[in-house]
Amino acid sequence: MKRLSLLLFVAMSAAMISAQLYLNPQAPIEDRVEDALSRMTLQEKVAILHAQSKFSSPGVARLGIRGLWMTDGPHGIRPEVMWDEWNQAGWTNDSCTAFPALTGLAATWDPQLAYLYGQMLGEEANYRGKDVVLGPGVNIYRTPLNGRNFEYMGEDPYLASQMVVPYIQGLQSQGVAACVKHYALNNQEVNRHGYNVNVSDRALYEIYLPAYKAAVQQGGAWSIMGSYNLYKGQHACHNQYLLRDILRGEWGFDGAVVSDWGGAHDTDEAVANGLDLEFGTWTNGTTSNNKEYDNYFLADPFLRGIQEGRYTMAQLDAKVRNVLRLIFRTSMNASRGFGSMVSAEHVAAARRIAADAVVLLKNEGSLLPLAKDNSRILVVGENAIKMMTVGGGSSQLKVKYEVSPLQGIQAKAANVQYERGYTSGEKIIQDAIDFGEQLDDPRSPSQMIADAVEAACRADVVVFVGGLNKKPHQDCEDSDRESYGLPYGQDELISALAAANSRLVVVNVSGNAVAMPWLQKVPAVVQTWYNGSEAGNALADVLFGDVNPSGKLPFTFMQRLEDYPAHQYGAEGYPGVDNQVYYRDDIFVGYRHADRQKKLKPLFAFGHGLSYTTFSYANATISKKSMTYDGKVEVSIDVTNTGARAGKTTVQLYLSDPKSSLPRPVKELKAFEKIELQPGQTKTVRFTIDETMLRFFDDARHQWVAEPGDFVAHIAAAADDIKASLRFKLEK
Ligand code: BGC
């Protein structure tokens, strides 16, 4: 009898466990979602739709359903903050690897490196127990004043799409969700909670949305973050057009929509228009420590509305499904690894990506690479010693270490001196993180220049490392730059250094283009980025030729601010008047604008980047002279390394539609390939063109169309360096 009841008990328990489908990691996710949903009370359902702390949302403790831990993003895993506050919690085990800021990743033009980046970041997230990384960001580079451009992937929708997809795939291969941000039209920080974007459907679909669409459809992003700004008068976090019509309707997104921190403003809209997870309400994302989670728009007001019959259970369940799906993909994903932090592999990846991101803009007389001999190298500039993982807003990181440019150079050369040259003033302390940087200098600005010039006269070569930094009004969240020029008197300093020593290398560290009034006087210019933990080593790898530079610009360096089309329409174009910003520049952003202004010659074009070797292009061919709508043509070109060093370069394909019913850009990037060549080696690069690559968005018909007629395929080394142009026809 005893034995029988024991058997019965075992059988009943087994039945109960097997019936708990949601706990079975082998069961299909949709079955787990439905099972969990069927067991949850009304209150439990509402509870999982909003934050319980600064960065976490609750699960259902009673059912063993785990909550979600979010983390910034996008360049490393943010240190632990207090439960209810932005200030860091003071943990001693949360120092991370910083990977290059996303402008740098985009400058590699290497999708394989983007995958590696995501994968390594996912491992760090796993070790820290984080389920969702708040990134990557793919807002298009519309103005060089945008304080957050450094977190994004440049001006071209195709390049950004190609780089964001593998980042997401690499990250999510670790069971950690990407949260692609800031969807959408968040192209400035001035008045970021208040401005409403007026943009044509054409520019929206051709320029501002493609990288998000690719992130969702090709990358399979598990979550997306609504931005702070408004579009058509509605906040993006609960915007009927962006979320309901486009994201869910047109693209079939099955992930969760997360609000930016403090980006939700209204329960009716949040319920109706597709917000699933609400965070940071009544904070502005950088200040204000609100703790009233029950009063969030998707908390008690939503619950009361359901009880009073104003909202439906179907509306609630749709959101709960999206959040449960995210939970089963991440925090209750049993195949997720345990992760690691600052492993040798992560460090190597950070250095490799950072080195491949560095762009050699100019190199007259082959001043670079520097010799590793005993020559006297003078390093000048604050950015040679400044920590760049500190500041900048939510992407700030607490790193285990950060190699500065000066340290990187010192590691490779014996005879290195340093002069400050200028100062940006006080060090940054954000979120109560103080690394004890010593940036004060009692000297006057003119004395600092005089001292640097004197040292420059005695040096064999001068390496100036300056640019922007992560302070407010530089490259920093929640504020935009106030001018296009370099701050802190750097132009004057650079000119003085150039007069003192003709062997001057200028290294610009930034996430944005800057004016270069001294360009003609300086023989070598290098663009580098907020390149993470290994920034200094990666820069030195390039300066001394251990890595042959192969980065290419992901955005145009115009001569003057006025040359950017966003700045040609007065305050209405940027930063807006009465909370309205008009994108009159329309589809003509970056090189799309430069191309059609005959007189406008950028300082450095989109896609530009030199190497220590040289490449020649020959034998451009096209497979046929015409194609049908279901056909293809192939273009190819032979690229030869004609120099003495191995090197990489990115071959770019731009397409032109010379005659069309709507105005089109002179040319648009449609494919690229990064190749590596040994000295003397030749490779044939091939691109296949199909009809989808010839389309534009016809807003009157709300449809992508390719019109029959002539097209031109340009194979190029940069937007201003076309190597071959091949004509073909699209037949009716
Ligand atoms: C930023 C987001 C960030 C969030 C959480 C907001 O202020 O706009 O990018 O992920 O804060 O830190």
Side-chain angles (χ1 to χ4, degrees):
M1 185 61 197
K2 227 176 176 182
R3 203 180 140 81
L4 193 67
S5 54
L6 185 69
L7 274 175
L8 208 63
F9 174 76
V10 171
M12 275 171 60
S13 316
M16 271 174 66
I17 289 167
S18 72
Q20 283 173 322
L21 205 56
Y22 71 98
L23 290 177
N24 177 358
Q26 261 74 52
I29 284 198
E30 292 312 306
D31 295 353
R32 296 176 76 186
V33 167
E34 292 310 318
D35 184 45
L37 186 76
S38 72
R39 296 166 192 269
M40 290 165 70
T41 65
L42 174 63
Q43 281 74 9
E44 286 167 346
K45 287 180 180 179
V46 173
I48 68 166
L49 304 182
H50 57 87
Q52 62 177 353
S53 75
K54 237 343 142 230
F55 281 100
S56 73
S57 59
V60 187
R62 178 182 69 85
L63 296 172
I65 295 176
R66 304 189 67 137
L68 290 164
W69 278 94
M70 316 280 175
T71 178
D72 286 296
H75 315 128
I77 305 305
R78 185 173 177 157
E80 205 59 38
V81 303
M82 311 278 273
W83 184 256
D84 283 320
E85 292 171 24
W86 291 112
N87 280 356
Q88 67 145 347
W91 288 17
T92 52
N93 59 351
D94 57 349
S95 300
C96 70
T97 308
F99 296 90
L102 292 192
T103 38
L105 178 62
T108 68
W109 291 61
D110 189 339
Q112 284 176 9
L113 288 185
Y115 187 91
L116 178 71
Y117 187 123
Q119 205 183 3
M120 301 291 109
L121 189 65
E123 288 186 356
E124 300 231 340
N126 267 335
Y127 192 79
R128 289 279 315 286
K130 303 300 179 191
D131 307 306
V132 180
V133 167
L134 304 175
V138 282
N139 291 104
I140 290 293
Y141 191 110
R142 178 173 179 256
T143 159
L145 299 189
N146 181 8
R148 291 191 93 170
N149 277 339
F150 75 96
E151 293 185 60
Y152 304 140
M153 299 208 195
E155 73 183 28
D156 184 75
Y158 180 78
L159 175 63
S161 302
Q162 291 302 301
M163 298 304 288
V164 76
V165 166
Y167 175 120
I168 294 167
Q169 290 169 336
L171 178 63
Q172 294 189 169
S173 73
Q174 303 304 304
V176 176
C179 187
V180 188
K181 68 192 190 182
H182 306 90
Y183 182 71
L185 299 164
N186 187 181
N187 307 100
Q188 66 184 56
E189 289 294 293
V190 172
N191 189 23
R192 66 176 177 168
H193 294 267
Y195 71 87
N196 176 55
V197 175
N198 299 270
V199 62
S200 72
D201 276 4
R202 205 162 159 221
L204 184 68
Y205 277 78
E206 289 189 19
I207 305 293
Y208 295 101
L209 294 186
Y212 288 102
K213 184 180 180 190
V216 167
Q217 293 192 331
Q218 296 166 44
W222 291 336
S223 65
I224 197 166
M225 183 191 289
S227 56
Y228 285 138
N229 55 282
L230 298 91
Y231 168 64
K232 294 198 179 180
Q234 272 179 355
H235 279 98
C237 286
H238 30 74
N239 188 290
Q240 128 185 33
Y241 311 97
L242 295 173
L243 299 177
R244 226 175 55 191
D245 299 351
I246 298 174
L247 180 68
R248 300 259 180 221
E250 295 180 17
W251 302 345
F253 179 62
D254 73 353
V257 175
V258 182
S259 74
D260 199 347
W261 270 231
H265 300 270
D266 182 81
T267 302
D268 284 352
E269 282 185 9
V271 171
N273 297 336
L275 178 65
D276 300 311
L277 260 169
E278 182 185 355
F279 274 86
T281 294
W282 302 299
T283 75
N284 66 8
T286 51
T287 53
S288 158
N289 289 324
N290 155 61
K291 304 173 185 185
E292 295 177 39
Y293 305 105
D294 289 343
N295 293 329
Y296 275 28
F297 298 101
L298 285 184
D300 287 353
F302 188 22
L303 180 64
R304 273 197 306 277
I306 297 169
Q307 287 163 336
E308 291 162 10
R310 279 179 287 118
Y311 309 122
T312 66
M313 281 305 283
Q315 285 175 313
L316 172 64
D317 285 351
K319 293 181 194 303
V320 175
R321 282 192 178 92
N322 293 335
V323 174
L324 286 172
R325 199 173 295 121
L326 182 59
I327 289 172
F328 291 127
R329 282 168 164 167
T330 60
S331 62
M332 293 180 76
N333 173 349
S335 61
R336 213 169 135 176
F338 299 112
S340 53
M341 294 272 285
V342 203
S343 68
E345 216 187 341
H346 297 180
V347 167
R351 184 165 179 169
R352 186 171 153 210
I353 298 165
D356 272 25
V358 176
V359 184
L360 179 63
L361 293 177
K362 179 177 178 184
N363 194 18
E364 256 173 31
S366 298
L367 178 54
L368 290 172
L370 301 176
K372 282 189 204 160
D373 55 18
N374 208 31
S375 39
R376 292 160 302 174
I377 301 176
L378 173 70
V379 177
V380 182
E382 185 178 270
N383 284 355
I385 57 166
K386 189 164 183 11
M387 287 192 77
M388 289 299 187
T389 49
V390 179
S394 57
S395 64
Q396 161 168 291
L397 295 170
K398 179 171 129 192
V399 282
K400 187 124 190 198
Y401 69 90
E402 177 177 339
V403 180
S404 72
L406 180 61
Q407 289 165 337
I409 291 168
Q410 280 168 334
K412 293 201 197 256
N415 202 344
V416 181
Q417 256 199 48
Y418 176 71
E419 266 297 336
R420 182 79 180 261
Y422 73 92
T423 170
S424 70
E426 281 176 16
K427 66 182 169 187
I428 306 170
I429 299 180
Q430 189 190 301
D431 302 345
I433 303 185
D434 184 353
F435 283 93
E437 266 191 302
Q438 287 306 324
L439 294 178
D440 302 335
D441 199 302
R443 291 173 292 175
S444 69
S446 56
Q447 189 59 50
M448 289 174 88
I449 294 183
D451 291 349
V453 164
E454 197 201 311
C457 292
R458 283 182 272 114
D460 295 314
V461 62
V462 180
V463 180
F464 171 78
V465 187
L468 307 178
N469 58 36
K470 299 284 198 65
K471 291 184 170 178
H473 300 295
Q474 300 291 316
D475 283 326
C476 185
E477 180 178 339
D478 205 17
S479 62
D480 280 351
R481 294 168 68 197
E482 287 169 336
S483 70
Y484 188 46
L486 284 174
Y488 319 125
Q490 291 177 77
D491 288 339
E492 192 192 335
L493 170 62
I494 294 169
S495 297
L497 291 172
N501 192 322
S502 61
R503 289 169 53 81
L504 171 64
V505 180
V506 168
V507 177
N508 183 59
V509 182
S510 70
N512 259 315
V514 299
M516 297 185 175
W518 32 259
L519 185 60
Q520 297 315 320
K521 299 181 216 159
V522 175
V525 183
V526 172
Q527 172 65 31
T528 189
W529 319 95
Y530 303 112
N531 246 348
S533 298
E534 287 287 323
N537 282 334
L539 176 64
D541 285 343
V542 169
L543 292 179
F544 289 91
D546 293 326
V547 170
N548 192 349
S550 65
K552 299 242 183 192
L553 290 178
F555 50 81
T556 310
F557 270 62
M558 301 285 188
Q559 309 245 7
R560 308 163 309 163
L561 184 63
E562 309 86 88
D563 296 343
Y564 288 91
H567 293 277
Q568 297 186 334
Y569 301 95
E572 287 195 343
Y574 171 91
V577 173
D578 296 335
N579 292 328
Q580 301 297 324
V581 185
Y582 295 88
Y583 285 19
R584 300 222 164 90
D585 40 332
D586 205 54
I587 55 171
F588 298 99
V589 172
Y591 68 87
R592 288 168 169 78
H593 174 73
D595 273 354
R596 60 176 198 159
Q597 306 292 314
K598 293 248 153 34
K599 287 202 200 115
L600 197 158
K601 194 171 160 3
L603 281 179
F604 297 106
F606 173 79
H608 170 77
L610 304 172
S611 165
Y612 296 148
T613 188
T614 46
F615 300 98
S616 75
Y617 294 73
N619 305 328
T621 56
I622 186 156
S623 59
K624 38 189 185 171
K625 286 271 175 256
S626 69
M627 63 182 259
T628 53
Y629 274 74
D630 54 0
K632 292 178 178 19
V633 295
E634 190 185 86
V635 293
S636 68
I637 199 158
D638 293 344
V639 186
T640 304
N641 181 344
T642 47
R645 283 169 186 262
K648 293 188 246 183
T649 193
T650 299
V651 185
Q652 302 158 35
L653 174 76
Y654 296 85
L655 294 178
S656 298
D657 183 1
K659 233 166 94 189
S660 65
S661 58
L662 291 180
R664 296 196 71 174
V666 173
K667 65 178 188 296
E668 295 183 277
L669 182 75
K670 291 293 171 180
F672 60 84
E673 193 180 334
K674 191 162 190 173
I675 52 168
E676 180 160 22
L677 293 171
Q678 298 304 313
Q681 193 187 358
T682 299
K683 274 188 189 165
T684 305
V685 176
R686 296 172 206 283
F687 297 111
T688 303
I689 301 168
D690 66 27
E691 174 266 331
T692 60
M693 294 157 77
L694 308 176
R695 293 177 180 177
F696 60 91
F697 190 77
D698 182 343
D699 32 6
R701 287 195 272 167
H702 199 80
Q703 203 177 307
W704 288 93
V705 288
E707 290 175 341
D710 288 339
F711 288 86
V712 188
H714 304 284
I715 304 177
D720 67 346
D721 188 8
I722 293 174
K723 301 297 183 185
S725 297
L726 302 154
R727 267 183 184 275
F728 63 97
K729 238 189 186 41
L730 176 65
E731 303 283 1
K732 269 204 190 93

